[in-house]
Amino acid sequence: KEYDLKPGDNVGYWTIISNDGDKFRCRCICGAERVIKHNILKSGRSLSCGCRRSDHQIKEQNRGKTASTKAEH
Protein backbone atom coordinates (compact mmCIF):
# COMPACT_ATOMS: atom_id res chain seq x y z
CA LYS A 1 0.00 0.00 0.00
CA GLU A 2 1.22 3.50 -0.87
CA TYR A 3 1.24 6.08 1.96
CA ASP A 4 1.15 9.83 1.53
CA LEU A 5 3.84 10.37 4.20
CA LYS A 6 7.50 10.02 3.27
CA PRO A 7 10.93 10.50 4.86
CA GLY A 8 11.60 14.17 5.50
CA ASP A 9 7.94 15.03 6.11
CA ASN A 10 6.98 16.68 9.40
CA VAL A 11 3.95 15.83 11.51
CA GLY A 12 3.72 18.00 14.60
CA TYR A 13 7.16 17.86 16.23
CA TRP A 14 8.02 14.57 14.44
CA THR A 15 10.23 14.25 11.37
CA ILE A 16 9.76 11.00 9.46
CA ILE A 17 13.05 9.15 9.02
CA SER A 18 11.90 5.95 7.28
CA ASN A 19 8.97 3.60 6.98
CA ASP A 20 8.27 -0.11 6.80
CA GLY A 21 4.73 -0.59 5.57
CA ASP A 22 2.38 1.36 7.83
CA LYS A 23 5.02 1.88 10.55
CA PHE A 24 7.10 5.06 10.42
CA ARG A 25 10.34 5.69 12.29
CA CYS A 26 10.16 9.29 13.48
CA ARG A 27 12.51 11.65 15.30
CA CYS A 28 11.11 14.24 17.68
CA ILE A 29 12.64 17.72 17.91
CA CYS A 30 14.17 16.67 21.25
CA GLY A 31 16.02 13.79 19.50
CA ALA A 32 13.88 10.88 20.72
CA GLU A 33 13.01 8.27 18.08
CA ARG A 34 9.84 6.19 17.96
CA VAL A 35 8.05 3.90 15.55
CA ILE A 36 4.51 5.17 14.98
CA LYS A 37 1.72 3.73 12.85
CA HIS A 38 0.49 5.73 9.86
CA ASN A 39 -3.06 6.17 11.18
CA ILE A 40 -1.76 7.61 14.48
CA LEU A 41 0.34 10.19 12.61
CA LYS A 42 -2.39 11.11 10.14
CA SER A 43 -5.07 11.49 12.84
CA GLY A 44 -2.86 13.84 14.85
CA ARG A 45 -3.00 11.62 17.94
CA SER A 46 0.80 11.77 18.17
CA LEU A 47 2.50 15.12 17.66
CA SER A 48 5.63 14.54 19.81
CA CYS A 49 7.25 11.97 22.07
CA GLY A 50 5.71 13.72 25.08
CA CYS A 51 8.42 16.32 25.55
CA ARG A 52 5.96 19.02 24.46
CA ARG A 53 3.04 17.77 26.54
CA SER A 54 3.53 20.47 29.19
CA ASP A 55 3.58 23.18 26.48
CA HIS A 56 0.23 21.90 25.19
CA GLN A 57 -1.28 21.70 28.69
CA ILE A 58 -0.21 25.28 29.44
CA LYS A 59 -1.80 26.49 26.19
CA GLU A 60 -5.03 24.62 27.00
CA GLN A 61 -5.11 26.05 30.53
CA ASN A 62 -4.53 29.58 29.22
CA ARG A 63 -7.20 29.08 26.60
CA GLY A 64 -9.63 27.92 29.29
CA LYS A 65 -8.81 30.87 31.55
CA THR A 66 -9.30 33.29 28.67
CA ALA A 67 -12.66 31.75 27.78
CA SER A 68 -13.89 31.74 31.40
CA THR A 69 -12.62 35.29 31.98
CA LYS A 70 -14.49 36.53 28.89
CA ALA A 71 -17.65 34.69 29.95
CA GLU A 72 -17.59 36.41 33.37
CA HIS A 73 -17.65 39.93 31.86
Side-chain angles (χ1 to χ4, degrees):
K1 185 175 177 179
E2 188 78 20
Y3 291 101
D4 53 347
L5 297 173
K6 59 189 179 311
D9 287 350
N10 292 310
V11 178
Y13 294 105
W14 293 117
T15 299
I16 297 172
I17 300 169
S18 64
N19 76 299
D20 181 18
D22 71 336
K23 295 183 178 111
F24 290 78
R25 176 162 293 281
C26 303
R27 180 177 296 123
C28 186
I29 60 168
C30 72
E33 290 189 14
R34 303 277 191 283
V35 175
I36 307 169
K37 291 185 104 179
H38 178 265
N39 63 329
I40 302 293
L41 287 170
K42 286 300 287 184
S43 68
R45 289 190 307 187
S46 180
L47 298 174
S48 73
C49 67
C51 68
R52 296 295 177 202
R53 190 171 291 133
S54 61
D55 290 351
H56 178 72
Q57 288 170 342
I58 290 167
K59 284 180 188 173
E60 289 300 313
Q61 288 172 353
N62 289 340
R63 208 176 286 157
K65 286 178 186 173
T66 303
S68 64
T69 303
K70 287 180 182 174
E72 291 172 8
H73 295 291

Coordinates of all heavy atoms in Angstrom, one line a residue:
K1 N 0.8 -1.2 0.0 CA 0.0 0.0 0.0 C 0.9 1.2 0.0 O 1.9 1.3 0.7 CB -0.9 0.0 1.2 CG -1.9 1.1 1.3 CD -2.8 0.9 2.5 CE -3.8 2.1 2.5 NZ -4.7 2.1 3.6
E2 N 0.5 2.2 -0.8 CA 1.2 3.5 -0.9 C 0.7 4.5 0.2 O -0.5 4.6 0.4 CB 1.0 4.1 -2.3 CG 1.8 5.3 -2.6 CD 3.3 5.0 -2.9 OE1 3.5 3.8 -3.3 OE2 4.1 5.9 -2.8
Y3 N 1.6 5.1 0.9 CA 1.2 6.1 2.0 C 1.7 7.5 1.5 O 2.7 7.6 0.8 CB 1.9 5.7 3.3 CG 1.3 4.5 3.9 CD1 1.9 3.2 3.8 CD2 0.0 4.5 4.5 CE1 1.4 2.1 4.3 CE2 -0.5 3.3 5.0 CZ 0.1 2.1 4.9 OH -0.4 1.0 5.4
D4 N 0.9 8.5 1.9 CA 1.1 9.8 1.5 C 2.2 10.5 2.4 O 2.7 11.6 2.0 CB -0.1 10.7 1.6 CG -0.8 10.6 2.9 OD1 -0.5 9.7 3.7 OD2 -1.8 11.4 3.2
L5 N 2.7 9.8 3.4 CA 3.8 10.4 4.2 C 5.1 9.8 3.7 O 5.2 8.6 3.3 CB 3.6 10.0 5.7 CG 2.4 10.7 6.3 CD1 2.3 10.1 7.8 CD2 2.5 12.2 6.4
K6 N 6.2 10.5 3.7 CA 7.5 10.0 3.3 C 8.6 10.6 4.1 O 8.4 11.6 4.8 CB 7.7 10.3 1.8 CG 7.7 11.8 1.5 CD 7.7 12.0 0.0 CE 7.6 13.5 -0.4 NZ 6.6 14.3 0.3
P7 N 9.8 10.0 4.1 CA 10.9 10.5 4.9 C 11.2 12.0 4.6 O 11.1 12.4 3.4 CB 12.1 9.6 4.4 CG 11.5 8.3 4.0 CD 10.1 8.7 3.4
G8 N 11.4 12.7 5.6 CA 11.6 14.2 5.5 C 10.4 15.0 5.8 O 10.5 16.2 6.1
D9 N 9.2 14.3 5.8 CA 7.9 15.0 6.1 C 7.9 15.3 7.6 O 8.4 14.5 8.4 CB 6.7 14.2 5.7 CG 6.5 14.2 4.2 OD1 7.1 15.0 3.5 OD2 5.6 13.4 3.8
N10 N 7.2 16.4 8.0 CA 7.0 16.7 9.4 C 5.5 16.5 9.8 O 4.6 16.9 9.0 CB 7.4 18.1 9.7 CG 8.9 18.3 9.6 OD1 9.7 17.5 10.1 ND2 9.3 19.3 8.8
V11 N 5.3 15.9 10.9 CA 4.0 15.8 11.5 C 4.1 16.3 13.0 O 4.7 15.6 13.8 CB 3.4 14.4 11.5 CG1 2.0 14.3 12.1 CG2 3.4 13.9 10.0
G12 N 3.5 17.4 13.3 CA 3.7 18.0 14.6 C 5.2 18.3 14.8 O 5.9 18.9 14.0
Y13 N 5.7 17.7 15.9 CA 7.2 17.9 16.2 C 8.0 16.7 15.7 O 9.2 16.6 15.9 CB 7.4 18.0 17.7 CG 6.8 19.3 18.3 CD1 5.6 19.3 19.0 CD2 7.4 20.5 18.1 CE1 5.0 20.4 19.5 CE2 6.9 21.7 18.6 CZ 5.7 21.6 19.3 OH 5.2 22.8 19.8
W14 N 7.3 15.7 15.0 CA 8.0 14.6 14.4 C 8.6 14.9 13.1 O 7.9 15.6 12.3 CB 7.1 13.4 14.3 CG 6.5 12.8 15.5 CD1 5.2 12.7 15.9 CD2 7.3 12.1 16.5 NE1 5.1 12.1 17.1 CE2 6.4 11.6 17.5 CE3 8.6 11.8 16.7 CZ2 6.7 10.9 18.6 CZ3 9.0 11.0 17.8 CH2 8.1 10.6 18.8
T15 N 9.7 14.3 12.7 CA 10.2 14.2 11.4 C 10.3 12.8 11.0 O 10.9 12.0 11.7 CB 11.6 14.9 11.3 OG1 11.5 16.3 11.6 CG2 12.2 14.8 9.8
I16 N 9.7 12.4 9.9 CA 9.8 11.0 9.5 C 11.1 10.7 8.9 O 11.7 11.4 8.1 CB 8.7 10.7 8.4 CG1 7.3 11.0 9.1 CG2 8.8 9.3 7.9 CD1 6.1 10.9 8.1
I17 N 11.7 9.6 9.4 CA 13.0 9.1 9.0 C 12.9 8.1 8.0 O 13.6 8.1 6.9 CB 13.9 8.6 10.2 CG1 14.0 9.7 11.3 CG2 15.2 8.1 9.8 CD1 14.5 9.2 12.6
S18 N 12.1 7.1 8.2 CA 11.9 6.0 7.3 C 10.6 5.3 7.6 O 9.9 5.6 8.6 CB 13.0 4.9 7.4 OG 13.0 4.4 8.7
N19 N 10.2 4.4 6.7 CA 9.0 3.6 7.0 C 9.1 2.2 6.5 O 9.9 1.9 5.6 CB 7.7 4.3 6.4 CG 7.6 4.1 4.9 OD1 8.5 4.5 4.2 ND2 6.5 3.5 4.5
D20 N 8.4 1.3 7.2 CA 8.3 -0.1 6.8 C 6.8 -0.4 6.8 O 6.2 -0.6 7.9 CB 9.0 -1.0 7.8 CG 9.0 -2.4 7.5 OD1 8.7 -2.8 6.3 OD2 9.3 -3.3 8.4
G21 N 6.2 -0.4 5.6 CA 4.7 -0.6 5.6 C 4.0 0.6 6.2 O 4.3 1.7 5.9
D22 N 3.1 0.3 7.2 CA 2.4 1.4 7.8 C 3.0 1.9 9.1 O 2.5 2.7 9.8 CB 1.0 0.9 8.1 CG 0.9 -0.1 9.3 OD1 1.9 -0.8 9.5 OD2 -0.2 -0.2 9.9
K23 N 4.3 1.4 9.4 CA 5.0 1.9 10.5 C 6.1 2.8 10.1 O 6.9 2.5 9.2 CB 5.6 0.7 11.3 CG 4.5 -0.2 11.9 CD 5.1 -1.3 12.6 CE 4.0 -2.2 13.2 NZ 3.9 -3.5 12.6
F24 N 6.2 4.0 10.8 CA 7.1 5.1 10.4 C 8.1 5.3 11.6 O 7.6 5.5 12.7 CB 6.3 6.3 10.1 CG 5.6 6.3 8.8 CD1 4.4 5.6 8.7 CD2 6.1 6.8 7.6 CE1 3.7 5.5 7.6 CE2 5.4 6.7 6.5 CZ 4.2 6.1 6.4
R25 N 9.3 5.3 11.3 CA 10.3 5.7 12.3 C 10.4 7.2 12.2 O 10.7 7.8 11.2 CB 11.7 5.1 12.0 CG 12.8 5.6 13.0 CD 14.0 4.7 13.1 NE 13.7 3.4 13.6 CZ 13.6 3.1 14.9 NH1 13.7 4.1 15.8 NH2 13.4 1.9 15.3
C26 N 10.2 7.8 13.4 CA 10.2 9.3 13.5 C 11.1 9.8 14.5 O 11.4 9.1 15.5 CB 8.8 9.7 13.8 SG 7.5 9.2 12.7
R27 N 11.6 11.0 14.3 CA 12.5 11.6 15.3 C 11.8 12.9 15.8 O 11.4 13.8 15.0 CB 13.9 12.0 14.7 CG 14.8 12.7 15.7 CD 16.2 12.9 15.2 NE 16.9 11.7 14.8 CZ 17.3 11.3 13.6 NH1 17.2 12.2 12.6 NH2 17.9 10.2 13.4
C28 N 11.7 13.1 17.1 CA 11.1 14.2 17.7 C 12.1 15.4 17.7 O 13.3 15.1 17.6 CB 10.7 13.9 19.1 SG 9.8 15.2 19.9
I29 N 11.7 16.6 17.9 CA 12.6 17.7 17.9 C 13.6 17.6 19.1 O 14.7 18.2 19.0 CB 11.9 19.1 17.9 CG1 11.0 19.2 19.1 CG2 11.2 19.3 16.6 CD1 10.5 20.6 19.4
C30 N 13.3 16.8 20.1 CA 14.2 16.7 21.2 C 15.2 15.6 21.0 O 16.1 15.4 21.8 CB 13.4 16.3 22.5 SG 12.7 14.7 22.5
G31 N 15.1 14.8 19.9 CA 16.0 13.8 19.5 C 15.5 12.4 19.7 O 16.1 11.4 19.3
A32 N 14.4 12.2 20.5 CA 13.9 10.9 20.7 C 13.4 10.3 19.4 O 12.8 11.0 18.6 CB 12.8 11.0 21.7
E33 N 13.5 9.0 19.3 CA 13.0 8.3 18.1 C 12.0 7.3 18.5 O 12.1 6.6 19.5 CB 14.1 7.6 17.3 CG 15.1 8.5 16.6 CD 16.1 7.9 15.7 OE1 15.9 6.7 15.4 OE2 17.0 8.5 15.3
R34 N 10.9 7.1 17.7 CA 9.8 6.2 18.0 C 9.4 5.6 16.6 O 9.5 6.3 15.6 CB 8.6 6.9 18.6 CG 8.9 7.5 19.9 CD 8.9 6.6 21.1 NE 8.9 7.2 22.4 CZ 10.0 7.8 23.0 NH1 11.1 7.8 22.4 NH2 9.9 8.3 24.2
V35 N 8.7 4.5 16.7 CA 8.1 3.9 15.5 C 6.6 4.1 15.8 O 6.0 3.8 16.8 CB 8.4 2.4 15.4 CG1 7.5 1.8 14.2 CG2 9.8 2.2 15.1
I36 N 5.9 4.8 14.8 CA 4.5 5.2 15.0 C 3.7 4.7 13.7 O 4.2 4.9 12.6 CB 4.4 6.7 15.1 CG1 5.3 7.2 16.3 CG2 2.9 7.1 15.4 CD1 5.5 8.7 16.3
K37 N 2.5 4.2 14.0 CA 1.7 3.7 12.8 C 1.2 4.9 12.1 O 0.9 6.0 12.6 CB 0.6 2.9 13.4 CG 1.1 1.5 13.9 CD -0.1 0.6 14.3 CE -0.2 -0.4 13.2 NZ -1.3 -1.3 13.4
H38 N 1.0 4.7 10.8 CA 0.5 5.7 9.9 C -0.8 6.4 10.4 O -0.9 7.6 10.4 CB 0.3 5.1 8.5 CG -0.3 6.1 7.5 ND1 -1.6 6.2 7.2 CD2 0.4 7.0 6.7 CE1 -1.8 7.1 6.3 NE2 -0.6 7.6 5.9
N39 N -1.8 5.6 10.8 CA -3.1 6.2 11.2 C -2.9 7.1 12.4 O -3.7 8.0 12.5 CB -4.1 5.1 11.4 CG -3.8 4.1 12.5 OD1 -2.6 3.9 12.8 ND2 -4.8 3.6 13.2
I40 N -2.0 6.8 13.3 CA -1.8 7.6 14.5 C -1.2 9.0 14.1 O -1.6 10.0 14.5 CB -0.8 6.9 15.5 CG1 -1.3 5.6 15.9 CG2 -0.5 7.8 16.7 CD1 -2.6 5.6 16.7
L41 N -0.2 8.9 13.1 CA 0.3 10.2 12.6 C -0.7 11.0 11.9 O -0.8 12.2 12.1 CB 1.5 9.9 11.7 CG 2.8 9.4 12.3 CD1 3.8 8.9 11.3 CD2 3.4 10.5 13.2
K42 N -1.4 10.4 11.0 CA -2.4 11.1 10.1 C -3.5 11.7 11.0 O -4.1 12.8 10.6 CB -3.0 10.2 9.0 CG -2.0 9.9 7.9 CD -1.5 11.2 7.2 CE -2.6 11.8 6.3 NZ -2.2 12.9 5.6
S43 N -3.9 11.0 12.0 CA -5.1 11.5 12.8 C -4.7 12.6 13.8 O -5.5 13.3 14.4 CB -5.7 10.3 13.6 OG -4.7 9.9 14.6
G44 N -3.3 12.8 13.9 CA -2.9 13.8 14.8 C -2.8 13.4 16.3 O -2.6 14.2 17.2
R45 N -3.0 12.1 16.5 CA -3.0 11.6 17.9 C -1.6 11.6 18.5 O -1.4 11.6 19.7 CB -3.6 10.2 18.0 CG -5.1 10.3 17.8 CD -5.8 9.0 18.2 NE -5.1 7.9 17.4 CZ -5.5 6.6 17.4 NH1 -6.6 6.3 18.1 NH2 -4.9 5.7 16.7
S46 N -0.6 11.7 17.7 CA 0.8 11.8 18.2 C 1.5 12.9 17.5 O 1.7 12.9 16.2 CB 1.6 10.5 17.9 OG 2.9 10.6 18.4
L47 N 1.8 13.9 18.2 CA 2.5 15.1 17.7 C 3.9 15.3 18.2 O 4.7 16.0 17.6 CB 1.7 16.4 18.0 CG 0.3 16.4 17.4 CD1 -0.4 17.6 17.9 CD2 0.3 16.4 15.9
S48 N 4.3 14.5 19.3 CA 5.6 14.5 19.8 C 5.8 13.3 20.7 O 4.8 12.6 20.9 CB 5.9 15.8 20.6 OG 5.2 15.7 21.9
C49 N 7.0 13.1 21.2 CA 7.2 12.0 22.1 C 6.7 12.2 23.5 O 6.7 11.3 24.3 CB 8.7 11.7 22.2 SG 9.6 13.0 23.1
G50 N 6.2 13.4 23.7 CA 5.7 13.7 25.1 C 6.5 14.9 25.7 O 6.1 15.5 26.7
C51 N 7.6 15.2 25.0 CA 8.4 16.3 25.5 C 7.7 17.6 25.5 O 8.0 18.6 26.2 CB 9.7 16.4 24.8 SG 9.6 16.9 23.1
R52 N 6.7 17.8 24.6 CA 6.0 19.0 24.5 C 4.6 19.0 25.1 O 3.8 19.9 25.0 CB 5.8 19.3 23.0 CG 7.1 19.6 22.3 CD 7.7 20.8 22.8 NE 9.0 21.0 22.2 CZ 9.9 21.8 22.7 NH1 9.7 22.3 23.9 NH2 11.1 22.0 22.2
R53 N 4.3 17.9 25.9 CA 3.0 17.8 26.5 C 2.7 18.9 27.5 O 1.7 19.5 27.5 CB 3.0 16.5 27.3 CG 1.6 16.1 27.8 CD 1.5 14.7 28.4 NE 1.7 13.8 27.3 CZ 2.5 12.7 27.3 NH1 3.2 12.5 28.3 NH2 2.5 11.9 26.3
S54 N 3.8 19.4 28.3 CA 3.5 20.5 29.2 C 3.2 21.8 28.4 O 2.4 22.6 28.9 CB 4.7 20.6 30.1 OG 5.9 21.0 29.4
D55 N 3.9 22.0 27.3 CA 3.6 23.2 26.5 C 2.1 23.2 26.1 O 1.4 24.2 26.2 CB 4.4 23.2 25.2 CG 5.9 23.5 25.5 OD1 6.2 23.8 26.6 OD2 6.7 23.4 24.5
H56 N 1.6 22.0 25.6 CA 0.2 21.9 25.2 C -0.7 22.1 26.4 O -1.7 22.8 26.2 CB 0.0 20.5 24.6 CG -1.4 20.3 24.1 ND1 -1.9 20.9 23.0 CD2 -2.4 19.5 24.6 CE1 -3.2 20.6 22.9 NE2 -3.5 19.7 23.9
Q57 N -0.4 21.6 27.5 CA -1.3 21.7 28.7 C -1.3 23.2 29.1 O -2.4 23.7 29.5 CB -0.8 20.8 29.8 CG -1.0 19.4 29.6 CD -0.3 18.5 30.6 OE1 0.6 18.9 31.3 NE2 -0.8 17.2 30.7
I58 N -0.2 23.9 29.1 CA -0.2 25.3 29.4 C -1.1 26.1 28.5 O -1.9 26.9 28.9 CB 1.2 25.8 29.5 CG1 2.0 25.2 30.7 CG2 1.3 27.3 29.5 CD1 3.5 25.4 30.6
K59 N -1.0 25.8 27.2 CA -1.8 26.5 26.2 C -3.3 26.2 26.4 O -4.1 27.1 26.4 CB -1.4 26.0 24.8 CG -0.2 26.6 24.2 CD 0.1 26.1 22.8 CE 1.5 26.5 22.4 NZ 1.8 25.9 21.1
E60 N -3.6 25.0 26.7 CA -5.0 24.6 27.0 C -5.5 25.3 28.3 O -6.6 25.8 28.3 CB -5.2 23.1 27.1 CG -5.1 22.4 25.8 CD -6.1 22.8 24.8 OE1 -7.3 22.9 25.1 OE2 -5.7 23.1 23.6
Q61 N -4.7 25.4 29.3 CA -5.1 26.1 30.5 C -5.3 27.5 30.3 O -6.3 28.1 30.7 CB -4.1 25.9 31.6 CG -4.0 24.5 32.2 CD -2.8 24.2 33.1 OE1 -2.0 25.1 33.3 NE2 -2.8 23.1 33.8
N62 N -4.4 28.2 29.5 CA -4.5 29.6 29.2 C -5.8 29.8 28.4 O -6.5 30.8 28.6 CB -3.3 30.1 28.5 CG -2.1 30.2 29.5 OD1 -2.3 30.2 30.7 ND2 -0.9 30.2 28.9
R63 N -6.0 28.9 27.5 CA -7.2 29.1 26.6 C -8.5 29.0 27.5 O -9.4 29.8 27.3 CB -7.2 28.0 25.5 CG -7.9 28.4 24.3 CD -7.8 27.3 23.2 NE -6.5 27.3 22.6 CZ -6.0 26.3 22.0 NH1 -6.7 25.1 21.9 NH2 -4.8 26.3 21.5
G64 N -8.5 28.1 28.4 CA -9.6 27.9 29.3 C -9.8 29.1 30.2 O -10.9 29.6 30.4
K65 N -8.7 29.7 30.7 CA -8.8 30.9 31.5 C -9.3 32.1 30.7 O -10.2 32.8 31.2 CB -7.4 31.2 32.1 CG -7.0 30.3 33.2 CD -5.6 30.7 33.7 CE -5.1 29.7 34.7 NZ -3.7 29.9 35.1
T66 N -8.9 32.2 29.5 CA -9.3 33.3 28.7 C -10.8 33.2 28.4 O -11.5 34.1 28.5 CB -8.5 33.3 27.3 OG1 -7.1 33.4 27.6 CG2 -8.9 34.5 26.5
A67 N -11.2 32.0 28.1 CA -12.7 31.8 27.8 C -13.5 32.0 29.0 O -14.6 32.7 28.9 CB -12.9 30.3 27.3
S68 N -13.1 31.5 30.2 CA -13.9 31.7 31.4 C -13.9 33.2 31.8 O -14.8 33.7 32.3 CB -13.4 30.8 32.5 OG -12.1 31.2 32.9
T69 N -12.7 33.9 31.6 CA -12.6 35.3 32.0 C -13.6 36.1 31.1 O -14.3 37.0 31.6 CB -11.2 35.8 31.8 OG1 -10.3 35.0 32.6 CG2 -11.0 37.2 32.2
K70 N -13.6 35.8 29.8 CA -14.5 36.5 28.9 C -15.9 36.3 29.2 O -16.8 37.2 29.2 CB -14.2 36.1 27.4 CG -12.9 36.7 26.9 CD -12.7 36.3 25.5 CE -11.4 36.8 24.9 NZ -11.1 36.3 23.6
A71 N -16.3 35.0 29.6 CA -17.7 34.7 29.9 C -18.1 35.4 31.2 O -19.3 35.7 31.3 CB -17.8 33.2 30.1
E72 N -17.2 35.7 32.1 CA -17.6 36.4 33.4 C -17.9 37.9 33.1 O -18.7 38.5 33.9 CB -16.5 36.3 34.4 CG -16.2 34.9 34.9 CD -15.0 34.8 35.7 OE1 -14.4 35.8 36.1 OE2 -14.6 33.7 36.1
H73 N -17.4 38.5 32.1 CA -17.6 39.9 31.9 C -18.9 40.2 31.1 O -19.5 39.6 30.4 CB -16.5 40.6 31.1 CG -15.2 40.5 32.0 ND1 -15.1 41.3 33.1 CD2 -14.1 39.8 31.8 CE1 -13.9 41.0 33.6 NE2 -13.3 40.1 32.9

